[in-house]
Short mmCIF file of all heavy atoms in Angstrom, two decimals:
data_model
loop_
_atom_site.label_atom_id
_atom_site.label_comp_id
_atom_site.label_asym_id
_atom_site.label_seq_id
_atom_site.Cartn_x
_atom_site.Cartn_y
_atom_site.Cartn_z
N GLU A 984 0.85 -1.19 0.00
CA GLU A 984 0.00 0.00 0.00
C GLU A 984 0.89 1.24 0.00
O GLU A 984 1.29 1.71 -1.06
CB GLU A 984 -0.96 -0.04 1.19
CG GLU A 984 -1.93 -1.23 1.11
CD GLU A 984 -2.80 -1.38 2.33
OE1 GLU A 984 -2.65 -0.58 3.27
OE2 GLU A 984 -3.64 -2.30 2.35
N THR A 985 1.23 1.75 1.18
CA THR A 985 2.10 2.92 1.23
C THR A 985 3.45 2.63 0.59
O THR A 985 4.02 3.49 -0.10
CB THR A 985 2.29 3.36 2.69
OG1 THR A 985 1.02 3.61 3.28
CG2 THR A 985 3.13 4.64 2.76
N PHE A 986 3.98 1.44 0.80
CA PHE A 986 5.30 1.10 0.27
C PHE A 986 5.35 1.18 -1.25
O PHE A 986 6.40 1.40 -1.84
CB PHE A 986 5.71 -0.29 0.76
CG PHE A 986 7.15 -0.64 0.47
CD1 PHE A 986 8.16 0.29 0.67
CD2 PHE A 986 7.49 -1.90 0.03
CE1 PHE A 986 9.49 -0.03 0.41
CE2 PHE A 986 8.82 -2.23 -0.23
CZ PHE A 986 9.82 -1.29 -0.04
N ALA A 987 4.19 1.01 -1.89
CA ALA A 987 4.15 1.07 -3.35
C ALA A 987 4.68 2.41 -3.86
O ALA A 987 5.32 2.48 -4.91
CB ALA A 987 2.72 0.84 -3.84
N LYS A 988 4.43 3.48 -3.11
CA LYS A 988 4.84 4.82 -3.55
C LYS A 988 6.35 4.96 -3.65
O LYS A 988 6.86 5.75 -4.45
CB LYS A 988 4.30 5.87 -2.57
CG LYS A 988 2.79 5.88 -2.42
CD LYS A 988 2.36 6.86 -1.34
CE LYS A 988 0.86 6.79 -1.09
NZ LYS A 988 0.45 7.69 0.03
N VAL A 989 7.08 4.21 -2.83
CA VAL A 989 8.55 4.34 -2.80
C VAL A 989 9.23 3.03 -3.14
O VAL A 989 10.44 2.89 -2.97
CB VAL A 989 9.01 4.83 -1.41
CG1 VAL A 989 8.54 6.27 -1.16
CG2 VAL A 989 8.52 3.91 -0.29
N TYR A 990 8.47 2.05 -3.62
CA TYR A 990 9.01 0.72 -3.90
C TYR A 990 10.19 0.78 -4.86
O TYR A 990 11.26 0.21 -4.60
CB TYR A 990 7.91 -0.17 -4.48
CG TYR A 990 8.34 -1.59 -4.76
CD1 TYR A 990 8.30 -2.55 -3.75
CD2 TYR A 990 8.78 -1.97 -6.04
CE1 TYR A 990 8.70 -3.86 -4.01
CE2 TYR A 990 9.17 -3.28 -6.29
CZ TYR A 990 9.13 -4.22 -5.27
OH TYR A 990 9.53 -5.51 -5.53
N ASP A 991 10.03 1.48 -5.97
CA ASP A 991 11.11 1.54 -6.96
C ASP A 991 12.34 2.26 -6.41
O ASP A 991 13.47 1.94 -6.78
CB ASP A 991 10.62 2.23 -8.23
CG ASP A 991 9.70 1.34 -9.05
OD1 ASP A 991 9.74 0.10 -8.87
OD2 ASP A 991 8.93 1.87 -9.87
N ASP A 992 12.13 3.23 -5.52
CA ASP A 992 13.28 3.93 -4.92
C ASP A 992 14.11 3.00 -4.05
O ASP A 992 15.33 2.96 -4.14
CB ASP A 992 12.79 5.12 -4.08
CG ASP A 992 12.14 6.20 -4.92
OD1 ASP A 992 12.74 6.60 -5.93
OD2 ASP A 992 11.04 6.64 -4.56
N PHE A 993 13.42 2.24 -3.20
CA PHE A 993 14.15 1.36 -2.29
C PHE A 993 14.63 0.07 -2.96
O PHE A 993 15.53 -0.59 -2.44
CB PHE A 993 13.26 1.01 -1.08
CG PHE A 993 13.19 2.12 -0.06
CD1 PHE A 993 11.96 2.64 0.33
CD2 PHE A 993 14.33 2.65 0.50
CE1 PHE A 993 11.88 3.65 1.27
CE2 PHE A 993 14.27 3.67 1.44
CZ PHE A 993 13.04 4.17 1.83
N MET A 994 14.04 -0.29 -4.09
CA MET A 994 14.44 -1.52 -4.78
C MET A 994 15.37 -1.25 -5.96
O MET A 994 15.53 -2.09 -6.84
CB MET A 994 13.19 -2.27 -5.26
CG MET A 994 12.22 -2.64 -4.16
SD MET A 994 12.91 -3.75 -2.92
CE MET A 994 12.74 -5.31 -3.78
N ASP A 995 16.00 -0.07 -5.97
CA ASP A 995 16.87 0.27 -7.09
C ASP A 995 18.16 -0.54 -7.10
O ASP A 995 18.98 -0.43 -8.02
CB ASP A 995 17.18 1.77 -7.12
CG ASP A 995 17.89 2.25 -5.86
OD1 ASP A 995 18.19 1.43 -4.97
OD2 ASP A 995 18.15 3.47 -5.77
N ASN A 996 18.35 -1.37 -6.07
CA ASN A 996 19.52 -2.26 -6.05
C ASN A 996 19.27 -3.56 -6.82
O ASN A 996 20.20 -4.34 -7.03
CB ASN A 996 19.92 -2.59 -4.61
CG ASN A 996 18.81 -3.32 -3.86
OD1 ASN A 996 17.64 -3.06 -4.07
ND2 ASN A 996 19.19 -4.25 -2.98
N ILE A 997 18.04 -3.79 -7.23
CA ILE A 997 17.73 -5.01 -8.00
C ILE A 997 18.13 -4.79 -9.46
O ILE A 997 17.66 -3.85 -10.10
CB ILE A 997 16.23 -5.36 -7.92
CG1 ILE A 997 15.88 -5.80 -6.50
CG2 ILE A 997 15.89 -6.47 -8.91
CD1 ILE A 997 14.44 -6.21 -6.32
N PRO A 998 19.01 -5.63 -9.99
CA PRO A 998 19.45 -5.48 -11.38
C PRO A 998 18.41 -6.05 -12.34
O PRO A 998 18.59 -7.13 -12.92
CB PRO A 998 20.76 -6.27 -11.40
CG PRO A 998 20.57 -7.35 -10.38
CD PRO A 998 19.70 -6.74 -9.31
N TYR A 999 17.32 -5.32 -12.52
CA TYR A 999 16.22 -5.83 -13.36
C TYR A 999 16.68 -6.17 -14.77
O TYR A 999 16.15 -7.09 -15.40
CB TYR A 999 15.08 -4.81 -13.41
CG TYR A 999 14.20 -4.82 -12.19
CD1 TYR A 999 14.22 -3.75 -11.29
CD2 TYR A 999 13.35 -5.89 -11.92
CE1 TYR A 999 13.41 -3.76 -10.16
CE2 TYR A 999 12.53 -5.89 -10.80
CZ TYR A 999 12.57 -4.83 -9.92
OH TYR A 999 11.77 -4.83 -8.80
N GLU A 1000 17.66 -5.42 -15.28
CA GLU A 1000 18.17 -5.70 -16.62
C GLU A 1000 18.74 -7.11 -16.70
O GLU A 1000 18.44 -7.88 -17.63
CB GLU A 1000 19.25 -4.67 -17.00
CG GLU A 1000 19.64 -4.68 -18.46
CD GLU A 1000 18.56 -4.09 -19.36
OE1 GLU A 1000 17.96 -3.07 -18.98
OE2 GLU A 1000 18.34 -4.68 -20.44
N GLN A 1001 19.54 -7.47 -15.70
CA GLN A 1001 20.15 -8.81 -15.68
C GLN A 1001 19.09 -9.88 -15.42
O GLN A 1001 19.13 -10.96 -16.02
CB GLN A 1001 21.25 -8.87 -14.63
CG GLN A 1001 22.43 -7.97 -14.94
CD GLN A 1001 23.46 -7.94 -13.83
OE1 GLN A 1001 23.15 -8.27 -12.68
NE2 GLN A 1001 24.67 -7.54 -14.15
N TRP A 1002 18.15 -9.58 -14.52
CA TRP A 1002 17.08 -10.55 -14.23
C TRP A 1002 16.26 -10.80 -15.49
O TRP A 1002 15.92 -11.95 -15.79
CB TRP A 1002 16.19 -10.01 -13.11
CG TRP A 1002 16.80 -10.06 -11.75
CD1 TRP A 1002 18.14 -10.01 -11.44
CD2 TRP A 1002 16.12 -10.15 -10.50
NE1 TRP A 1002 18.32 -10.05 -10.09
CE2 TRP A 1002 17.11 -10.14 -9.48
CE3 TRP A 1002 14.78 -10.23 -10.14
CZ2 TRP A 1002 16.78 -10.22 -8.13
CZ3 TRP A 1002 14.45 -10.30 -8.78
CH2 TRP A 1002 15.44 -10.30 -7.80
N ALA A 1003 15.98 -9.73 -16.23
CA ALA A 1003 15.19 -9.87 -17.45
C ALA A 1003 15.96 -10.68 -18.49
O ALA A 1003 15.39 -11.54 -19.17
CB ALA A 1003 14.84 -8.50 -18.02
N GLU A 1004 17.26 -10.44 -18.62
CA GLU A 1004 18.08 -11.19 -19.57
C GLU A 1004 18.04 -12.68 -19.26
O GLU A 1004 17.97 -13.52 -20.17
CB GLU A 1004 19.52 -10.69 -19.53
CG GLU A 1004 19.72 -9.33 -20.19
CD GLU A 1004 21.16 -8.85 -20.10
OE1 GLU A 1004 22.02 -9.63 -19.63
OE2 GLU A 1004 21.43 -7.69 -20.49
N TYR A 1005 18.08 -13.01 -17.99
CA TYR A 1005 18.04 -14.41 -17.58
C TYR A 1005 16.70 -15.05 -17.96
O TYR A 1005 16.66 -16.13 -18.55
CB TYR A 1005 18.27 -14.51 -16.08
CG TYR A 1005 18.29 -15.92 -15.54
CD1 TYR A 1005 19.37 -16.76 -15.77
CD2 TYR A 1005 17.23 -16.41 -14.77
CE1 TYR A 1005 19.40 -18.06 -15.28
CE2 TYR A 1005 17.25 -17.70 -14.27
CZ TYR A 1005 18.34 -18.51 -14.52
OH TYR A 1005 18.35 -19.80 -14.02
N VAL A 1006 15.61 -14.37 -17.63
CA VAL A 1006 14.27 -14.89 -17.94
C VAL A 1006 14.07 -14.98 -19.45
O VAL A 1006 13.55 -15.98 -19.96
CB VAL A 1006 13.19 -14.00 -17.29
CG1 VAL A 1006 11.80 -14.39 -17.78
CG2 VAL A 1006 13.26 -14.10 -15.77
N ILE A 1007 14.48 -13.94 -20.18
CA ILE A 1007 14.35 -13.95 -21.64
C ILE A 1007 15.15 -15.10 -22.23
O ILE A 1007 14.71 -15.77 -23.16
CB ILE A 1007 14.79 -12.60 -22.23
CG1 ILE A 1007 13.77 -11.51 -21.85
CG2 ILE A 1007 14.92 -12.68 -23.75
CD1 ILE A 1007 14.26 -10.10 -22.09
N GLY A 1008 16.34 -15.34 -21.68
CA GLY A 1008 17.15 -16.46 -22.15
C GLY A 1008 16.45 -17.79 -21.97
O GLY A 1008 16.49 -18.65 -22.87
N LEU A 1009 15.77 -17.97 -20.85
CA LEU A 1009 15.03 -19.22 -20.60
C LEU A 1009 13.85 -19.35 -21.56
O LEU A 1009 13.57 -20.44 -22.07
CB LEU A 1009 14.55 -19.26 -19.15
CG LEU A 1009 15.64 -19.36 -18.08
CD1 LEU A 1009 15.02 -19.27 -16.68
CD2 LEU A 1009 16.43 -20.66 -18.21
N LEU A 1010 13.17 -18.24 -21.82
CA LEU A 1010 12.05 -18.27 -22.77
C LEU A 1010 12.54 -18.63 -24.17
O LEU A 1010 11.96 -19.48 -24.86
CB LEU A 1010 11.35 -16.92 -22.80
CG LEU A 1010 10.50 -16.53 -21.58
CD1 LEU A 1010 10.11 -15.07 -21.64
CD2 LEU A 1010 9.25 -17.41 -21.48
N ARG A 1011 13.63 -18.01 -24.58
CA ARG A 1011 14.13 -18.24 -25.94
C ARG A 1011 14.70 -19.65 -26.10
O ARG A 1011 14.61 -20.24 -27.19
CB ARG A 1011 15.18 -17.19 -26.28
CG ARG A 1011 14.55 -15.81 -26.50
CD ARG A 1011 15.58 -14.74 -26.77
NE ARG A 1011 14.93 -13.46 -27.08
CZ ARG A 1011 15.58 -12.32 -27.22
NH1 ARG A 1011 16.90 -12.26 -27.06
NH2 ARG A 1011 14.91 -11.21 -27.51
N GLU A 1012 15.27 -20.19 -25.04
CA GLU A 1012 15.74 -21.57 -25.10
C GLU A 1012 14.59 -22.52 -25.40
O GLU A 1012 14.78 -23.59 -25.97
CB GLU A 1012 16.41 -21.97 -23.78
CG GLU A 1012 17.83 -21.50 -23.64
CD GLU A 1012 18.48 -22.03 -22.37
OE1 GLU A 1012 17.89 -22.93 -21.72
OE2 GLU A 1012 19.55 -21.53 -22.01
N ASP A 1013 13.40 -22.10 -25.00
CA ASP A 1013 12.22 -22.92 -25.24
C ASP A 1013 11.53 -22.54 -26.55
O ASP A 1013 10.42 -22.99 -26.82
CB ASP A 1013 11.24 -22.76 -24.07
CG ASP A 1013 10.40 -24.01 -23.84
OD1 ASP A 1013 10.96 -25.03 -23.44
OD2 ASP A 1013 9.19 -23.95 -24.11
N GLY A 1014 12.18 -21.70 -27.33
CA GLY A 1014 11.63 -21.31 -28.62
C GLY A 1014 10.62 -20.20 -28.58
O GLY A 1014 9.91 -19.94 -29.56
#
């Protein structure tokens, strides 16, 4: 609820780019 307003600020340490690359790699491995 309240945390949603600042979620991205406090979670800026998550390397979403790398996480996405990993997930995309798994999807593409499956065609």
Side-chain angles (χ1 to χ4, degrees):
E984 297 175 359
T985 304
F986 190 42
K988 301 175 185 176
V989 293
Y990 182 86
D991 286 340
D992 294 311
F993 282 124
M994 301 298 280
D995 61 2
N996 62 325
I997 291 182
Y999 281 110
E1000 192 73 41
Q1001 295 175 339
W1002 286 28
E1004 286 178 6
Y1005 181 73
V1006 171
I1007 291 166
L1009 294 175
L1010 288 168
R1011 289 177 175 172
E1012 279 185 12
D1013 210 68

